[in-house]
Amino acid sequence: MLNVKPSWKSWQLLTEKGRQIWAFKPGSNDINEHLQNVDNVTDQDIAQFVQDFKFDKSGNPNSGDKVFRHTAINAKFQEFAGLIPQAKKPEEQKAIDALIKGINYFSYLQSEDGHWPGDYGGPLFLLPGLLIAAYLSDTPFPKAHREMMKIYLFNQQNEDDGWGMHIEGESTMFGTVMQYVSLRLLGVDKNHEQLVKARAWIKNNGGATGIPSWGKFYLAVLNLYDWQGFNSLFPEMWLFPKWLPVHPWRYWCHTRMVYLPMAYCYAQRIKAPENELILSLREEIYSEDFASIDWPKQRNAVCEKDCYTTPSGVLKWMNLFTNNYEKFKCAWLRKKSTDYILKYLNAEDEQTNYINIGPVNQAINSICIWHVYGRESEQFKKHVARWFDYLWVAEDGMKMNGYNGSQLWDAAFATRAMLESDMGKLFPETIAKSYQFIEQSQIQTEHSTHAEFFRHPMIGSWPFSTPDNGWPVADCTAEGLSATLAVHHSGLVKPAIDEQRIKQAVDVILSYQNTDGGWATYELMRAPKWLEKLNPSEVFADIMIDYSWTECTAACVISLLEIQDTYPAYKTDEIRQAISAGIKFILKQQKPDGSWYGGWAVCFTYATWFGVEAISKAKGKGYYDDADLMASINRACSFLVGKQKMDGGWGETFESCSKLVYTEAATSQVVNTAWALLTLMAADFDDKKVIETGINLLLNRQTDIGDWSQENISGVFNYNCMITYANYRNIFPVWALSRYCRQYVQR
């Protein structure tokens, strides 16, 4: 049916309760057995890899997740055999047929545990961190994995011979140096043609002294950069009184959990021993002699291609103080701070079953735990086992995901998309499995150390990925709750999530609302916005605190509106107040042109869908003046209609996110088109032709078996780094078609 290349078949995705592990020629489906015995590749296998994983980035740097999808579909796919509902008009029948075909195809990608696996790669600075941890600890990946990583890194090299921070980005010093060093750690000779060209790019752009601070950190632990050239991370900051607005417990959790292990490595000045490779790399990546570099002068040196944010005067002053402090630091105070940091690192490991909150702190935590306890310790071995949770195989090779997956997030969206119309009821087994996964993913216990280490209460919440990861998220909880209610209303399953657990989810959502009326991601906003002036990262924006976002707020408002319809007597006044404040926040975020900026996907089409979805559901229920709500909706619709392309679709590039201005893609994108259509249909937009032309684009782009091709990258974080959501290309066209069939198709 689909072209499955020979060596693709040798890679098998093993799943268990949301966990995803790619195994090469596994002896069984047991994940633990695979982790015990994984080095079974031959020279012939490697030669076949080179043939089968050739990938031309110039056409589209985004892989189509073909290794997983093609092998899964070829193994079991069948056309839908049920009774297809009939529409009165032939053109409307096409929409029904496409919707059923789309759901049917996607159902075959569902794992037995109920979630939808998928590529969540895109950022190129993640895999290098893991490879550095493996190198420092002398814990190499199996040879099959190493060869596939080489293939991926070479496949994602840009035409100008550098690498970007993400797969669609222009070449940067951060991206290029990190991929170059990674390939050398993987055993590629420095005279390899692609490395010779990459080395020229690095030196032509000033050399590795201009790598941004995160890159300086990674090079320092490799002994490829002197710690004197790194601004102090001031570990003693963790001992500050907690009432201070600059105490790190107030940082956004991802920032907190990255700079925590970084501070430990800095305090210990961890670095690899000198050897032939390290000495050679020092010559390869610098434009001057390594021994002659004035390292303190390099602390703030950043290649112009990497500068997304510039350090504030406040940060410069703080760096001046902390750098001077290093000259006369108090030994017992430094030890006290690193002891505390280590205690916190151990707590994060235990709270997340050694997955950690994300890929960057997984790699750096691993380095810290290896340094403290050794490579033979149980703690470090548990880390190594979790390295594999982050790896993903696609037709461009083996990459590192931006999380241990997007399991709950995708399952909740997919469930809601299918049940938007009664067509989803034609797939009861699919819905039953997704509900089972959603039910098992709700967090029902609290960590014993959650208060001590600044965690938001989590009973009743849902995570982004898996319950093992265990970091609760506000909008993931909202989407999990909305999906649960949709399944309960469908009557397809006997509810396993009882009223008490539903109310716990509501309580968690309410607990996440900020004083500005909006909702952030993992936690409440804990510090004033001026803390952003201490942002030490040159490549990301707004990383210091957990800001309220339009999308997160809308998701929470929508779920609370649905709760009021289903459980009208539960906390009525409190929920009404929360919804009113949330709607007010959303309206305030709307731009003069009618759009909303999206902080978690590309971009204005995404957030505008969320904004209009929430406002439309609130209309007529007394939460806000309906005339103001209609005016907001009309402005949003005018914005979208003005962006519709000649072929009926919509398309944005990632530059919408980084430049904060709507940036047209060369062609329409099915994901952006679906978001725009969902918005217009939620608004009951009166020009049906605008909607029909968009629907026709989705119909024309659908493949014969019900898939859609992978187009531009669609996810983002911190404004400037893009990330893949492989399942969006199915979820949102299905959702748009499902809504179209519910609202417009007569049967």
Side-chain angles (χ1 to χ4, degrees):
M1 179 189 300
L2 296 171
N3 179 23
V4 181
K5 297 184 179 180
S7 61
W8 293 4
K9 300 175 186 177
S10 299
W11 288 97
Q12 182 179 340
L13 183 67
L14 310 180
T15 61
E16 181 183 357
K17 296 180 180 178
R19 191 178 188 187
Q20 303 172 159
I21 300 290
W22 279 97
F24 181 71
K25 295 181 179 178
S28 72
N29 291 328
D30 184 270
I31 288 176
N32 291 321
E33 181 180 319
H34 161 68
L35 293 174
Q36 298 296 322
N37 182 23
V38 288
D39 220 343
N40 55 349
V41 70
T42 66
D43 291 342
Q44 184 177 356
D45 291 327
I46 293 170
Q48 194 68 49
F49 289 171
V50 174
Q51 286 295 115
D52 295 347
F53 288 90
K54 287 181 179 178
F55 182 81
D56 183 5
K57 179 179 182 173
S58 63
N60 183 356
N62 299 273
S63 59
D65 221 1
K66 292 179 181 178
V67 178
F68 167 64
R69 288 176 173 237
H70 284 27
T71 51
I73 290 298
N74 277 38
K76 53 188 177 181
F77 183 78
Q78 294 181 10
E79 300 284 350
F80 180 72
L83 188 63
I84 297 177
Q86 297 298 301
K88 291 184 177 181
K89 298 179 180 180
E91 60 270 22
E92 293 176 350
Q93 188 62 45
K94 290 180 181 178
I96 292 178
D97 293 345
L99 174 57
I100 291 175
K101 191 162 62 171
I103 297 176
N104 184 64
Y105 169 85
F106 200 47
S107 69
Y108 280 98
L109 299 182
Q110 188 180 31
S111 67
E112 285 304 309
D113 62 22
H115 82 281
W116 276 269
D119 186 343
Y120 192 55
L124 290 171
F125 62 90
L126 304 179
L127 184 59
L130 199 59
L131 290 171
I132 290 167
Y135 177 82
L136 282 172
S137 62
D138 191 24
T139 312
F141 281 97
K143 190 173 183 180
H145 292 62
R146 298 198 303 271
E147 294 299 323
M148 290 287 287
M149 290 171 181
K150 291 180 195 175
I151 288 170
Y152 174 72
L153 295 176
F154 279 132
N155 277 334
Q156 289 299 341
Q157 191 170 15
N158 289 335
E159 290 183 358
D160 68 358
D161 305 318
W163 285 266
M165 191 164 73
H166 58 85
I167 58 176
E168 288 194 5
E170 294 180 359
S171 297
T172 63
M173 189 63 68
F174 188 26
T176 305
V177 171
M178 296 313 299
Q179 314 317 307
Y180 182 96
V181 170
S182 295
L183 286 163
R184 294 288 279 124
L185 295 181
L186 286 167
V188 179
D189 190 273
K190 67 178 182 180
N191 294 317
H192 188 288
E193 181 183 4
Q194 286 177 259
L195 286 193
V196 171
K197 293 178 179 179
R199 192 157 64 245
W201 189 99
I202 293 169
K203 294 191 176 184
N204 289 340
N205 285 278
T209 53
I211 197 170
S213 57
W214 282 27
K216 293 181 194 296
F217 168 83
Y218 281 128
L219 294 183
V221 296
L222 273 176
N223 209 352
L224 296 176
Y225 190 92
D226 196 295
W227 280 113
Q228 293 184 74
F230 194 77
N231 282 312
S232 171
L233 289 176
F234 197 37
E236 287 80 358
M237 187 179 288
W238 288 95
L239 302 180
F240 280 178
K242 295 180 178 59
W243 53 264
L244 282 176
V246 295
H247 190 288
W249 84 274
R250 298 180 183 275
Y251 298 174
W252 182 44
C253 55
H254 276 282
T255 300
R256 184 167 80 240
M257 302 315 299
V258 165
Y259 282 98
L260 180 81
M262 275 190 178
Y264 181 87
C265 293
Y266 176 81
Q268 301 293 336
R269 301 298 197 270
I270 295 173
K271 60 182 180 180
E274 289 184 357
N275 59 25
E276 184 178 349
L277 175 61
I278 298 301
L279 293 172
S280 180
L281 275 167
R282 288 176 178 177
E283 295 180 358
E284 295 166 38
I285 63 174
Y286 290 102
S287 300
E288 59 267 73
D289 179 62
F290 185 84
S292 68
I293 296 173
D294 186 339
W295 291 105
K297 286 187 177 180
Q298 310 309 320
R299 288 170 181 161
N300 300 310
V302 181
C303 176
E304 63 178 13
K305 295 181 182 295
D306 292 71
C307 292
Y308 186 67
T309 61
T310 55
S312 70
V314 176
L315 178 65
K316 290 177 181 177
W317 179 88
M318 189 188 78
N319 285 339
L320 179 65
F321 169 77
T322 56
N323 289 334
N324 279 304
Y325 169 79
E326 293 298 322
K327 300 173 184 177
F328 55 86
K329 61 183 179 291
C330 176
W332 73 264
L333 200 58
R334 177 57 55 93
K335 184 178 188 306
K336 185 176 180 181
S337 64
T338 53
D339 287 348
Y340 176 82
I341 289 171
L342 180 59
K343 185 179 179 183
Y344 196 166
L345 292 174
N346 283 324
E348 160 73 354
D349 287 346
E350 292 166 8
Q351 290 168 355
T352 62
N353 296 282
Y354 288 81
I355 294 171
N356 301 139
I357 193 174
V360 178
N361 84 308
Q362 166 58 244
I364 308 176
N365 275 30
S366 295
I367 293 170
C368 297
I369 297 306
W370 157 76
H371 183 265
V372 177
Y373 301 113
R375 69 188 297 272
E376 297 303 323
S377 65
E378 284 303 309
Q379 296 98 318
F380 183 68
K381 288 179 179 178
K382 288 178 180 179
H383 264 290
V384 173
R386 289 299 191 179
W387 291 354
F388 294 86
D389 291 48
Y390 280 93
L391 300 176
W392 190 263
V393 174
E395 69 268 28
D396 55 348
M398 177 174 278
K399 63 199 74 176
M400 189 177 190
N401 279 337
Y403 221 76
N404 65 315
S406 54
Q407 293 89 325
L408 183 280
W409 185 248
D410 287 355
F413 270 155
T415 303
R416 293 183 61 202
M418 293 176 188
L419 292 176
E420 176 79 18
S421 71
D422 57 8
M423 301 297 173
K425 294 182 180 180
L426 300 174
F427 299 86
E429 292 182 9
T430 300
I431 299 300
K433 286 200 297 184
S434 69
Y435 179 69
Q436 177 186 345
F437 181 76
I438 292 167
E439 187 274 326
Q440 291 177 350
S441 297
Q442 189 182 23
I443 299 171
Q444 299 181 61
T445 58
E446 193 66 80
H447 298 305
S448 60
T449 57
H450 86 279
E452 181 181 1
F453 294 106
F454 322 118
R455 295 285 294 269
H456 193 90
M458 57 193 270
I459 293 176
S461 68
W462 273 276
F464 180 74
S465 58
T466 61
D468 271 1
N469 168 275
W471 272 88
V473 189
D475 57 342
C476 296
T477 301
E479 297 297 347
L481 180 57
S482 290
T484 296
L485 295 175
V487 175
H488 288 186
H489 292 325
S490 75
L492 292 175
V493 302
K494 182 180 179 180
I497 301 174
D498 61 20
E499 185 173 325
Q500 179 186 0
R501 288 171 62 183
I502 287 174
K503 290 178 178 178
Q504 287 174 338
V506 174
D507 292 346
V508 168
I509 292 171
L510 292 173
S511 75
Y512 272 113
Q513 190 170 26
N514 286 314
T515 55
D516 63 7
W519 276 264
T521 56
Y522 294 81
E523 295 162 343
L524 291 166
M525 197 185 318
R526 296 175 171 181
K529 292 184 178 180
W530 62 255
L531 193 67
E532 202 61 50
K533 292 186 180 296
L534 298 183
N535 176 5
S537 165
E538 306 88 348
V539 296
F540 303 117
D542 288 1
I543 68 167
M544 295 303 292
I545 61 176
D546 205 346
Y547 295 90
S548 295
W549 294 95
T550 297
E551 309 99 297
C552 300
T553 302
C556 292
V557 165
I558 290 165
S559 66
L560 292 177
L561 285 165
E562 292 169 347
I563 281 293
Q564 286 236 306
D565 291 339
T566 310
Y567 298 92
Y570 186 65
K571 293 191 175 181
T572 305
D573 292 341
E574 188 177 346
I575 290 174
R576 286 192 66 86
Q577 289 174 9
I579 292 171
S580 295
I583 292 294
K584 185 176 181 180
F585 174 85
I586 293 169
L587 292 172
K588 189 176 180 181
Q589 300 308 304
Q590 190 173 23
K591 295 183 175 296
D593 66 2
S595 70
W596 280 269
Y597 175 84
W600 299 100
V602 181
C603 169
F604 292 95
T605 46
Y606 181 67
T608 300
W609 165 53
F610 270 100
V612 170
E613 195 83 30
I615 292 170
S616 297
K617 286 183 180 292
K619 187 161 57 73
K621 296 182 178 180
Y623 293 104
Y624 210 85
D625 183 85
D626 279 355
D628 290 341
L629 296 183
M630 278 306 305
S632 172
I633 291 169
N634 290 337
R635 288 199 305 275
C637 291
S638 295
F639 167 79
L640 288 174
V641 171
K643 301 300 182 185
Q644 189 174 27
K645 290 178 173 286
M646 292 295 293
D647 61 7
W650 284 261
E652 288 185 79
T653 76
F654 75 88
E655 290 184 332
S656 283
C657 303
S658 57
K659 295 182 178 179
L660 312 185
V661 177
Y662 190 95
T663 308
E664 289 273 358
T667 60
S668 292
Q669 305 291 302
V670 295
V671 174
N672 295 132
T673 299
W675 289 331
L677 290 170
L678 285 165
T679 307
L680 294 170
M681 288 186 282
D684 290 324
F685 187 65
D686 55 8
D687 189 346
K688 189 180 175 184
K689 288 185 178 179
V690 171
I691 295 170
E692 287 177 342
T693 55
I695 290 292
N696 284 334
L697 182 127
L698 297 183
L699 299 181
N700 293 334
R701 294 274 181 94
Q702 191 178 36
T703 69
D704 291 341
I705 60 172
D707 193 11
W708 283 268
S709 295
Q710 179 64 46
E711 298 171 339
N712 289 359
I713 202 162
S714 55
V716 66
F717 59 91
N718 301 129
Y719 294 86
N720 195 38
C721 193
M722 310 311 300
I723 195 161
T724 299
Y725 285 86
N727 290 321
Y728 277 16
R729 78 195 214 217
N730 303 95
I731 292 170
F732 291 106
V734 162
W735 203 334
L737 289 169
S738 191
R739 181 167 292 181
Y740 180 78
C741 288
R742 177 174 63 83
Q743 291 187 194
Y744 296 112
V745 173
Q746 298 180 353
R747 288 182 279 145

